[in-house]
Amino acid sequence: MQYTSINNVNSYKQITNTSTPEGAVLSPILFSIYTDFIRSSFSNTVIIKYADDTVILGLISNQRDSENYFSEVQSISQLCCDNDLILNATKTHEMLFTSQRQSPVITPMTVDNTAIAISSQVKYLGVLIDDKLHFSEHISKACEKASKKMYVVRRFSKYDTKVSLTKQLFSSFIESYLFYCLIIIFNHAYSTDKKQPKRPYNALCHMGIENMEFDKTLQKRTKKYIMNAYHDKTHFIHNFIHMLPSGVYKPTNIDVL
């Protein structure tokens, strides 16, 4: 049963026999349970689900892998149809990652008889992913938002007698934009893009407020992320990290960190 309540006034109650109530706290978990049947059927395909966002990854090395990939897409489309779910073709994108200089010609994917065009860039969970994995657009957009928020920090610093409050505002308004997924993609960025996140820190320094430098902040957050992943056995990179007898953490089967 689903209804809306505002100021003790309730809307008409609607009984839902399928799906999950929109906006409810448990809806993402319930939806994940409901769609648990969507699983990979082939060794060269991987399915990643986050609530109602689904990604199908396919490693295509030959014609058989290509057939498996397209078969996986059609199978999931049919499963959704059989379980009162609809794949939105207008919000579906296909992206090709290749090491070849010239992208190979492939057959367009279809969803419900709708051809899906190959995109050079898509937005997934707030991250702009390009087919070269350089993340230039994502970093530029994040830094642009952070730059606009710096106006608030500057105005606040003029009237704030406590530097700690300005630092807290900087952390909430600026770093929350800059560091979203940055510790994952930073090493893949161009050198020019790596300079952009440092500008708000330089602006804070010019305001006469001492704060941890960007490089040290990035290193601190990266270490915290790795430690959380190491101690969380359910994390997908947990098995890729191990601790040496000396106490140094090292990636599994990789010689250099």
Side-chain angles (χ1 to χ4, degrees):
M1 182 178 296
Q2 181 178 0
Y3 67 94
T4 302
S5 179
I6 301 177
N7 296 330
N8 296 324
V9 178
N10 299 332
S11 66
Y12 175 76
K13 297 181 179 179
Q14 178 70 40
I15 297 177
T16 55
N17 297 320
T18 59
S19 189
T20 57
E22 184 178 358
V25 177
L26 291 176
S27 290
I29 298 177
L30 294 175
F31 189 84
S32 297
I33 296 174
Y34 182 74
T35 58
D36 184 64
F37 60 86
I38 300 179
R39 299 187 178 187
S40 177
S41 304
F42 303 98
S43 59
N44 69 304
T45 58
V46 176
I47 297 177
I48 301 175
K49 295 183 293 182
Y50 186 88
D52 60 342
D53 289 320
T54 302
V55 174
I56 304 175
L57 299 177
L59 177 61
I60 301 176
S61 302
N62 49 53
Q63 182 63 28
R64 181 63 179 272
D65 291 341
S66 179
E67 294 174 356
N68 291 345
Y69 169 71
F70 286 108
S71 177
E72 188 79 273
V73 174
Q74 297 304 321
S75 175
I76 292 176
S77 179
Q78 186 60 46
L79 284 173
C80 290
C81 183
D82 296 340
N83 289 273
D84 299 318
L85 295 172
I86 299 175
L87 292 179
N88 193 341
T90 60
K91 293 184 178 180
T92 302
H93 303 272
E94 186 175 23
M95 180 176 289
L96 177 64
F97 300 95
T98 178
S99 58
Q100 300 178 13
R101 293 185 177 181
Q102 186 175 1
S103 299
V105 179
I106 62 174
T107 305
M109 180 179 65
T110 59
V111 174
D112 293 335
N113 297 323
T114 302
I116 306 301
I118 297 179
S119 305
S120 60
Q121 179 177 277
V122 297
K123 188 174 184 179
Y124 180 65
L125 300 180
V127 180
L128 290 170
I129 306 174
D130 59 274
D131 55 4
K132 302 300 181 183
L133 296 178
H134 291 149
F135 301 99
S136 296
E137 189 69 18
H138 174 80
I139 295 176
S140 297
K141 291 290 185 182
C143 292
E144 181 181 348
K145 291 181 180 179
S147 179
K148 293 179 180 179
K149 295 293 184 179
M150 276 300 296
Y151 170 78
V152 180
V153 177
R154 290 191 184 95
R155 291 295 300 269
F156 186 81
S157 64
K158 293 181 179 180
Y159 305 102
D160 178 33
T161 57
K162 295 183 179 180
V163 177
S164 59
L165 295 179
T166 303
K167 289 183 178 181
Q168 185 176 356
L169 187 67
F170 180 83
S171 177
S172 302
F173 271 45
I174 309 302
E175 291 184 331
S176 59
Y177 283 112
L178 294 180
F179 284 98
Y180 180 67
C181 204
L182 189 65
I183 62 175
I184 304 295
I185 67 178
F186 190 74
N187 286 336
H188 298 275
Y190 290 119
S191 57
T192 53
D193 293 327
K194 290 182 178 180
K195 297 178 181 179
Q196 295 188 57
K198 299 180 181 181
R199 293 171 184 171
Y201 287 84
N202 296 335
L204 195 67
C205 182
H206 292 157
M207 293 161 53
I209 299 176
E210 295 183 1
N211 194 44
M212 186 180 297
E213 297 178 357
F214 170 79
D215 293 332
K216 292 183 179 180
T217 305
L218 179 65
Q219 184 180 11
K220 180 181 178 181
R221 287 174 175 253
T222 303
K223 183 178 180 180
K224 181 180 179 181
Y225 176 82
I226 293 176
M227 289 298 96
N228 290 338
Y230 177 76
H231 294 290
D232 183 5
K233 294 183 179 180
T234 62
H235 199 285
F236 74 98
I237 69 170
H238 170 78
N239 294 328
F240 294 94
I241 306 171
H242 70 280
M243 185 174 65
L244 300 177
S246 60
V248 176
Y249 293 92
K250 184 179 180 182
T252 304
N253 297 329
I254 299 179
D255 296 328
V256 181
L257 179 60

